Structure formats: structure tokens, C-alpha cells
Amino acid sequence: MKTKQNQYMNPYLAGFLLGLVLLAAIFITGRGLGASGAIKSAVITAVNTIAPYHAENSEFYRNYNASHPNHPLKSWLFFEVIGVLIGGFMSGLISGRLKFKVEHGPRIRSKVRLVMALIGGMLFGIGALFARGCTSGAALSGMAVLSLGGFITMMAIFGTGYALAFFFRRFWL
Amino acid sequence: MAPLAPDIIGNELNLMIALIIGIAFGFILEQAGFSSSRKLAGLFYGYDFVVLRVFFTAAITAASGIVLLSHFGLLNIDLIYINPTFLSSAIIGGIIMGAGFIIGGFCPGTSVCGAAIGKIDAMVFILGTFLGVFFFTEGYPLFKNLYTANNLGSPFVFDSLGISRGLFAFLLVTGAVGAFIATTVIENKVNKRKVEKPFLKNYRYSILTAITILIGFILIFLPDQKTKALAVVADKNWVIEDQTIQTITIDELALRLTERDRKIQLIDVRSTNDFNADNIPTAINIPLDSLANVEWRDLLTQSNKDNIFYCKGQLMSSKAAVLSRLLGDNPVNYVLEGGLQDFNHNIMDIQETELSGSNQELDTYRFRKNVREKLLILKKEAKKEPVIRKKPKKVQGGC
């Protein structure tokens, strides 16, 4: 017998609820959701702490620190992403999905998957800084407020994904 | 009017709200299956379109909500964060992220979710993101030109397309629903089985589809408060027939000014050049063209002030009064009867006349002579300081 555990929520219901959360974020705080910004805060904190002299002399950190008088980790997105971690864990706990594992396609080994994840993450980090936001901050939130940039970034992300899918099919199918 | 931050809720509380919103965000992402890279990658191979469904449903829900809230004046879209568009870097960043998505199987938000339930590949993805961000921040001098090129400001997509917000929202909703139907067909073909009933044969989905498209259609007719207000005053006849305009006579204004009534807030809606050439003492200048701008709302929404608009005659000031009311400023606005023209003619430039006529005329004449002297003193006193505009605090956003 199939148990209801492990099953995912209806995607339209999930999307509707996610839309309401996004709307609440915009209504209450005037800004949408995000993710990569928190990692940026963490990187800047690390550089400020480990190499303060370097941070003072490099343009990006200097600009960031000048425009963000608070501690970089005292940022909205950092707190939000801590929340995502908690929320994701709670959901996994309720639905019985908590488990250490490497998820990979049937034709590759875990090691290959981890290398791919590392490369993918690096690309996402670079791309998100260029586009001033990732799938959440630029594409989803940008689309919700109907900003031109949000739509352009969204189309560029998914367009490229489709264009490259053929070449990476070995890793997923 | 929302957004509530930073004026109504402070910074500390805002961070708590960030945490709570994050928890809801993470919970829903995980429940939707976004913690699984294979599920995410399915989007690109046609075996699982869950990402598209969740993503577009969320986008149309939030976008429609914003249209509704701003139509009813509950949310001021001039104050929310609109992602800036730097054309080159938006496209290049998107392309790099697209490659990252198909190679890494996650995006930053979903990788946090995956890591939360123990996916080691998600943890490694986050590590990669750290390195990627670090690579960018270190190499920034190299990327700077590209990063800041083609700055288009923060345009709305519907403005770029030359259509209204509501119409675009409708097209977006229809497009999303079309994509839901099409992807169900593709999914069933790719998986070589019927995962679900064809979209439109599932009667629950059919009803939801109809309701969604109907709501989308209604959005076309729901302009935001500012657009709505501007459209109303663009129609001259409507303004003149508006019964809600209250007027104040030049004598009453003159008297209150000389009594230094602090309740008065006198607004000259002519151009800045006209204002500088001549104005009524204590007036501030808000040209009619800029009255709808967000920076004036705080000034014009003070319940302890009577906003009195004037222009040369009475047309522009009447427009201004109606516009201000529609924009949600003080519910009662006054317009100076006869405008600056009458005010100058009958008070400031009052002619010496022979003392003849009825008692009433004589009283008026003496009164006006009298206030004129006081107004001239006020005029001298009036410091030529510009009005201090409270800069509207626009929210910082983006990643």
C-alpha cells in the first residue's frame, strides 16, 4: 500500500502558497524573496574578518561595506535563508525525508555528481552576482513585481538550461 | 499603506519577519519537492515539470496580488523594490546561472532546502556558490564594466511592451495556464505513461483553470491607484463637475494667513518658474505634473493640516485637489476661489478708491487694505527656503 508520506504537495497548491508567501514578503517588507544574497553576505563577512586590509582595498567589498552600515550578516536575506534552512528541515521531518545522501542520475557515480554540484554552484554564484539575484531574487521576485530585468533573467536561465540539456543528459537520465 | 517596512515596522522586527517568511518559503519549497535535484532537472528533460508549475503559479499569484492590492490603494508600488535592469549583466548572469542549473541541479534557494534534509550534493552546491561569489567579488575590477553596462533603470516589463499592468498580468496568467496544459501533455509523452489525466479532462483542474483565467481577465480592468487617479483627472469635465471640491474664498484665506493659522498648508500647483515669479506667502510649490509622485504623500497626508490648492485660476488647482484625494491624501481638500489672479487683483493690488458705496463694500475694502499690509510683512518674512522633501525610503532588495 502506498503511504502518503514521502509524497510531494500538489505543485499548483505549493505554487499558490509560495505566491502568497512572496506577496506577504512584498506587502510587509517591500521586497521579495532571495537566496544568493545571503551567501554574498557570508562571503563578505568572511573576507572582512579574515582579510580586513584586503576588504578595504578591494572595490567590491569597499562599496558593499560603505552602502551597508550594518554587519553584513544582519541582513534581511541572511535571516530569511536561515529560515529556509529551518523550514526545509521541518518539512523533511514531517514528510520523513531526512536522510544523508547524494542524489544522482542512474549512469553516474556519487563522486561525479558532487563535482558537478560544485561546478554548478560556482557558476550559480558568479551568475547570481552578475544578474543581481538568483532564481528567487531576480527571476521569481522580479517576475512578481513585473520588472523587465526579472523576465529577462528568467528567460536567460531557463533558455540556457534547455539549450544545454542535451549535452548533460548523461548526468541526469 | 503598505509596504509596512521601514516606516511602520522597524529593522529588528523586520529581521524576525525575514526568518518567519524564510521558514514558510523553505517549508513550501521542500514540500513541493525542490529539495531533489533530479526532480528539478526533470524540467529540462520533460519528465517532471514540477518546477515550472510551482514557479509560474507562485509568480502569477504574487503578481495578481500586487495588482489587486495596488488597485485598492493598500500597497504603494512606488515604494516596493523593483529589480533594476542592467541589460548585459542580466542576460549574461542568466546564461551562467542556466548552465549552473543544468550542471549542478539546484539553484541557491533549492540547494539550501536540499541541504536542510541531508542532501550532500546540495551542501557541495552551496560550497560551490560560496566559491563562485568569492570569484566574482575578487575579480570585480575585471567584471565591473560589464556589470554596470546598459543600465535601463528599473523599468516594468509592461511599460517596455507599451501595455497596461493589468493587461500584462492577464497575458502572464493565460500564458502560465497554457504552459501548465502543454507541459502535462509533454510529461505524459516523455514518461510513456499517463501520470495524470490530461489536464482539461480532470474536472477539478478545468474549473480551476477557468477561475484563474477569469481572475486574470478581471485584472485588465484594475489599474493601480495612481494610474486610476491620473486617468480620472485627465478628463476635464469630470473634475469640474466633481461635487467634492470645497472652495475657500480669497478673504478667508487672507484672514487665516494673517492670523498665522498653522493649520493651513498652502500649495501652489503652477510651474516652478511661475511660482518663483510670484506666489502667496507661505505657499509651497508642487507642480501639478509631480503631484502624483510618491515623495509628496507624507506632506499631503497630515490630518492636522488643511491642504489648500491654488493656481492662476481654478482649473489646475481643482485637478490637484481631486488627484490628491484619489491618491489617498487628506480626504478634504480646498481650492482657492478665483485663484492667484483674483487674490492679487482684489487684495495685493487693491486700488485706492473713493470711500463710497454700501457699508458692506466699505467693510470689504477696509478689510482687504488691512490684510494686504500684513501679507506684505508675511511676504518679506517668508524665507526662500525650498520645501524639505522627506525622501521616501525605498526598500533595499535583490540578492
Side-chain angles (χ1 to χ4, degrees):
Chain A
M1 208 182 91
K2 222 170 159 187
T3 58
K4 273 271 166 192
Q5 280 212 334
N6 291 327
Q7 271 193 357
Y8 293 118
M9 192 189 278
N10 177 299
Y12 303 109
L13 177 62
F16 180 66
L17 294 176
L18 182 58
L20 292 183
V21 171
L22 178 54
L23 189 61
I26 292 168
F27 186 80
I28 299 171
T29 72
R31 50 157 310 139
L33 303 168
S36 60
I39 293 174
K40 187 168 84 180
S41 302
V43 167
I44 285 166
T45 306
V47 174
N48 284 346
T49 314
I50 298 165
Y53 182 75
H54 176 68
E56 270 169 45
N57 289 291
S58 300
E59 197 175 354
F60 193 88
Y61 309 107
R62 201 172 54 223
N63 292 350
Y64 185 93
N65 290 326
S67 58
H68 297 72
N70 284 333
H71 192 280
L73 291 187
K74 218 183 148 190
S75 73
W76 200 89
L77 277 180
F78 192 77
F79 276 71
E80 185 235 59
V81 167
I82 300 292
V84 173
L85 207 55
I86 299 170
F89 180 80
M90 280 164 44
S91 164
L93 188 67
I94 290 171
S95 301
R97 283 193 285 266
L98 293 182
K99 194 184 170 193
F100 280 108
K101 72 168 187 182
V102 179
E103 194 182 18
H104 57 80
R107 289 196 279 168
I108 57 168
R109 285 178 301 136
S110 292
K111 236 183 230 169
V112 178
R113 167 71 189 122
L114 291 180
V115 172
M116 299 301 281
L118 188 73
I119 296 170
M122 286 172 71
L123 289 170
F124 237 113
I126 298 167
L129 263 80
F130 264 113
R132 293 168 171 78
C134 56
T135 331
S136 326
L140 180 60
S141 303
M143 276 175 72
V145 297
L146 304 184
S147 85
L148 178 66
F151 280 86
I152 290 173
T153 303
M154 184 271 296
M155 288 190 281
I157 294 176
F158 292 110
T160 310
Y162 278 106
L164 297 179
F166 178 79
F167 305 102
F168 292 97
R169 64 190 188 287
R170 193 172 78 81
F171 298 99
W172 297 110
L173 298 177
Chain B
M1 199 171 4
L4 308 181
D7 283 339
I8 298 170
I9 56 171
N11 198 28
E12 309 290 323
L13 182 58
N14 202 0
L15 291 180
M16 283 312 296
I17 289 167
L19 191 71
I20 294 164
I21 283 177
I23 291 174
F25 184 29
F27 190 88
I28 296 165
L29 283 184
E30 209 290 323
Q31 280 295 311
F34 280 27
S35 55
S36 159
S37 56
R38 290 196 68 205
K39 217 167 163 56
L40 293 167
L43 169 68
F44 299 113
Y45 296 101
Y47 62 79
D48 193 336
F49 282 104
V50 64
V51 178
L52 178 134
R53 292 183 186 125
V54 176
F55 191 89
F56 277 95
T57 312
I60 62 174
T61 304
S64 307
I66 292 171
V67 173
L68 281 170
L69 290 173
S70 62
H71 174 74
F72 293 106
L74 298 171
L75 176 72
N76 189 342
I77 24 179
D78 285 334
L79 287 180
I80 62 179
Y81 176 79
I82 308 296
N83 307 56
T85 305
F86 290 77
L87 198 55
S88 315
S89 67
I91 294 172
I92 288 167
I95 290 173
I96 299 173
M97 285 192 276
F101 212 150
I102 195 72
I103 295 171
F106 283 113
C107 63
T110 54
S111 69
V112 173
C113 244
I117 64 158
K119 294 278 167 65
I120 296 162
D121 42 335
M123 297 172 196
V124 173
F125 184 94
I126 296 175
L127 177 69
T129 314
F130 266 94
L131 296 175
V133 170
F134 184 64
F135 177 80
F136 182 92
T137 57
E138 283 301 309
Y140 182 67
L142 292 173
F143 307 133
K144 193 184 167 189
N145 284 340
L146 185 58
Y147 182 69
T148 52
N150 294 323
N151 180 3
L152 305 184
S154 298
F156 288 114
V157 60
F158 52 88
D159 281 338
S160 307
L161 296 173
I163 58 176
S164 75
R165 174 183 289 268
L167 179 57
F168 185 83
F170 170 66
L171 295 176
L172 186 66
V173 168
T174 324
V177 171
F180 298 154
I181 296 171
T183 51
T184 308
V185 175
I186 297 171
E187 205 173 84
N188 286 341
K189 272 197 181 144
V190 168
N191 292 321
K192 296 192 179 76
R193 66 193 163 92
K194 290 239 150 82
V195 179
E196 283 176 53
K197 271 194 239 171
F199 198 93
L200 290 178
K201 287 197 181 152
N202 182 330
Y203 88 100
R204 257 199 299 177
Y205 278 2
S206 305
I207 291 170
L208 282 174
T209 304
I211 293 172
T212 309
I213 289 181
L214 181 68
I215 293 173
F217 185 69
I218 293 169
L219 294 179
I220 300 177
F221 307 102
L222 302 180
D224 64 272
Q225 204 183 26
K226 187 168 146 185
T227 312
K228 192 170 59 181
L230 286 170
V232 166
V233 294
D235 185 351
K236 272 185 200 169
N237 298 324
W238 194 89
V239 170
I240 290 162
E241 286 160 17
D242 189 326
Q243 300 298 314
T244 62
I245 298 175
Q246 307 235 6
T247 55
I248 177 171
T249 64
I250 51 171
D251 292 324
E252 191 189 341
L253 175 68
L255 180 67
R256 287 177 69 179
L257 283 175
T258 54
E259 285 173 347
R260 298 180 189 243
D261 184 345
R262 293 197 152 268
K263 237 188 137 196
I264 281 192
Q265 179 157 263
L266 192 56
I267 302 129
D268 187 324
V269 296
R270 297 170 307 149
S271 71
T272 308
N273 279 342
D274 287 347
F275 175 79
N276 289 338
D278 181 31
N279 58 61
I280 299 177
T282 76
I284 54 172
N285 181 219
I286 306 180
L288 183 58
D289 292 342
S290 76
L291 185 70
N293 292 357
V294 66
E295 68 252 36
W296 300 116
R297 298 284 76 78
D298 282 347
L299 192 73
L300 297 177
T301 316
Q302 302 177 71
S303 54
N304 59 345
K305 294 277 185 193
D306 288 338
N307 293 333
I308 302 172
F309 294 93
Y310 77 86
C311 58
K312 189 176 172 211
Q314 219 170 301
L315 179 65
M316 277 164 75
S317 52
S318 303
K319 271 192 184 188
V322 173
L323 185 59
S324 167
R325 181 172 57 81
L326 292 176
L327 289 169
D329 300 340
N330 285 0
V332 180
N333 286 321
Y334 298 89
V335 166
L336 179 62
E337 225 175 279
L340 182 65
Q341 217 169 16
D342 256 23
F343 189 85
N344 278 343
H345 181 73
N346 292 319
I347 298 181
M348 300 312 284
D349 305 331
I350 189 165
Q351 300 296 315
E352 295 285 339
T353 51
E354 308 231 336
L355 292 175
S356 63
S358 69
N359 277 345
Q360 207 189 342
E361 277 168 10
L362 284 176
D363 281 350
T364 307
Y365 174 73
R366 284 195 204 101
F367 167 79
R368 286 178 177 170
K369 269 303 248 195
N370 188 18
V371 291
R372 178 177 177 272
E373 300 306 318
K374 292 182 182 166
L375 285 170
L376 285 174
I377 299 170
L378 272 179
K379 207 161 196 170
K380 268 185 203 159
E381 283 175 12
K383 291 163 243 156
K384 289 222 163 174
E385 306 179 348
V387 197
I388 301 145
R389 292 189 202 184
K390 198 174 149 206
K391 260 232 150 174
K393 290 180 217 156
K394 200 154 182 166
V395 188
Q396 274 196 348
C399 276

